[in-house]
Amino acid sequence: MKALGKGSIASFIRWALGFAWWVMWFFAGILTIAAIACTLFFFGLAVHAYKIETDGKSVLMYAPYAAIGFAFVGVSIAGTLAIIWRLRRLFTNFCAGDPFNKSNADHLRWIWIILLFMEVWKYPLGALTVALWAVAPVPVDKDGFNFDDHHNGIDFSTWFAILIIIVLAEVFREGARLREEQELTI
Amino acid sequence: MAIRVTLDRILLERRMSLTELSERVGVTLANLSILKTGKAKAIRFSTLNALCRVLECQPGELLSYEPAEDDAALEKEGVE
């Protein structure tokens, strides 16, 4: 089975990306509905999604954590959607048998920029959560959720992937340059 | 690019059209147009060979070097 062109591995990946695209939009929709429901809940309006067995003050404590959670998930979904969109464009060009196109280098560049943002964004959000926990910890059972066990360190695999994509973007840029030069060689 | 291709003048002297040259040399009309308008980045020796054979000329008659303003500036920087 060939890697590029019609009916190739690239075609299969493009189809899979199309499926992932719509799945992510579905999750974005669910997140939007959940965010609206939580906003209504925390601002004490008529909609109550579920009960928290605590006093009114404790319920308000959950609001900043919910906001941080929604921000984290929202950015993750938005970033993933942006990456999938770029990958779909990339594989459309691969399916057309046109790998060394300048736009492909631009797509790869944007992918690593988005990945970098998604990775860097976690740290201030994590720091904010830690600071919030120090001021207003969420009451949990003794055997329940322990924040200290769940804080994230540096994800070396993601950082390594970012470095690899940076290099690949430049490889494709150089390939596009060589192809243009070859096309303009008479 | 300071290299100029004087294909127009030679075609006029030989009373030959670009289409005829394209057929005789074996290079597409589109590529010859790119060469004629100075948009080409490089020329293969095989193409130059075919052009000189058909047009009965020397490479120096086809190609000339005309330093542009930026080339002059680059040379000045080199001297300093």
Side-chain angles (χ1 to χ4, degrees):
Chain A
M1 193 180 197
K2 54 182 179 175
L4 301 174
K6 288 182 184 175
S8 63
I9 296 172
S11 292
F12 169 72
I13 294 173
R14 188 177 64 159
W15 174 85
L17 285 169
F19 178 73
W21 171 255
W22 293 112
V23 165
M24 290 310 299
W25 272 113
F26 172 72
F27 284 127
I30 289 179
L31 180 75
T32 307
I33 292 168
I36 293 169
C38 278
T39 307
L40 292 172
F41 175 80
F42 284 118
F43 282 95
L45 294 182
V47 176
H48 289 273
Y50 57 97
K51 280 187 180 178
I52 296 179
E53 290 184 352
T54 178
D55 59 14
K57 188 179 172 187
S58 296
V59 168
L60 285 174
M61 277 166 54
Y62 291 109
Y65 291 103
I68 290 170
F70 279 119
F72 178 76
V73 175
V75 168
S76 297
I77 290 178
T80 305
L81 274 169
I83 288 173
I84 291 174
W85 185 78
R86 290 280 172 183
L87 284 172
R88 286 179 81 191
R89 291 287 164 278
L90 199 64
F91 278 87
T92 300
N93 286 338
F94 290 167
C95 291
D98 186 19
F100 291 116
N101 189 318
K102 190 181 172 295
S103 64
N104 291 348
D106 290 339
H107 290 317
L108 281 170
R109 186 180 61 176
W110 274 109
I111 286 171
W112 74 253
I113 289 172
I114 294 165
L115 273 174
L116 183 68
F117 176 77
M118 285 168 68
E119 196 56 28
V120 166
W121 155 262
K122 285 192 300 194
Y123 297 115
L125 213 56
L128 186 65
T129 310
V130 168
L132 197 61
W133 192 270
V135 172
V138 174
V140 293
D141 293 337
K142 205 174 178 184
D143 297 326
F145 179 82
N146 185 345
F147 183 79
D148 288 335
D149 292 337
H150 287 79
H151 72 272
N152 291 318
I154 297 174
D155 185 357
F156 287 108
S157 59
T158 306
W159 284 104
F160 200 63
I162 290 169
L163 292 175
I164 288 172
I165 296 172
I166 290 173
V167 172
L168 279 176
E170 291 314 304
V171 166
F172 271 83
R173 193 174 306 281
E174 182 65 12
R177 188 190 67 79
L178 288 171
R179 199 190 84 160
E180 188 193 18
E181 220 171 73
Q182 190 254 329
E183 278 176 353
L184 293 176
T185 296
I186 311 301
Chain B
M1 178 72 80
I3 300 290
R4 298 281 178 264
V5 180
T6 54
L7 201 53
D8 277 345
R9 183 177 58 80
I10 295 182
L11 282 173
L12 199 63
E13 286 172 7
R14 304 290 187 272
R15 296 176 196 277
M16 195 186 296
S17 68
L18 202 64
T19 310
E20 187 186 343
L21 181 65
S22 155
E23 287 165 7
R24 290 176 67 177
V25 165
V27 173
T28 63
L29 194 60
N31 280 350
L32 277 184
S33 293
I34 289 169
L35 191 63
K36 197 179 79 142
T37 53
K39 291 190 177 110
K41 286 195 183 291
I43 184 167
R44 294 190 177 90
F45 278 138
S46 56
T47 306
L48 190 58
N49 181 61
L51 284 169
C52 290
R53 176 175 47 81
V54 169
L55 295 170
E56 294 177 356
C57 66
Q58 292 293 316
E61 293 177 72
L62 263 177
L63 307 170
S64 65
Y65 174 68
E66 291 170 18
E69 284 180 7
D70 55 343
D71 285 354
L74 285 169
E75 195 180 327
K76 190 180 174 187
E77 277 176 23
V79 168
E80 286 175 359

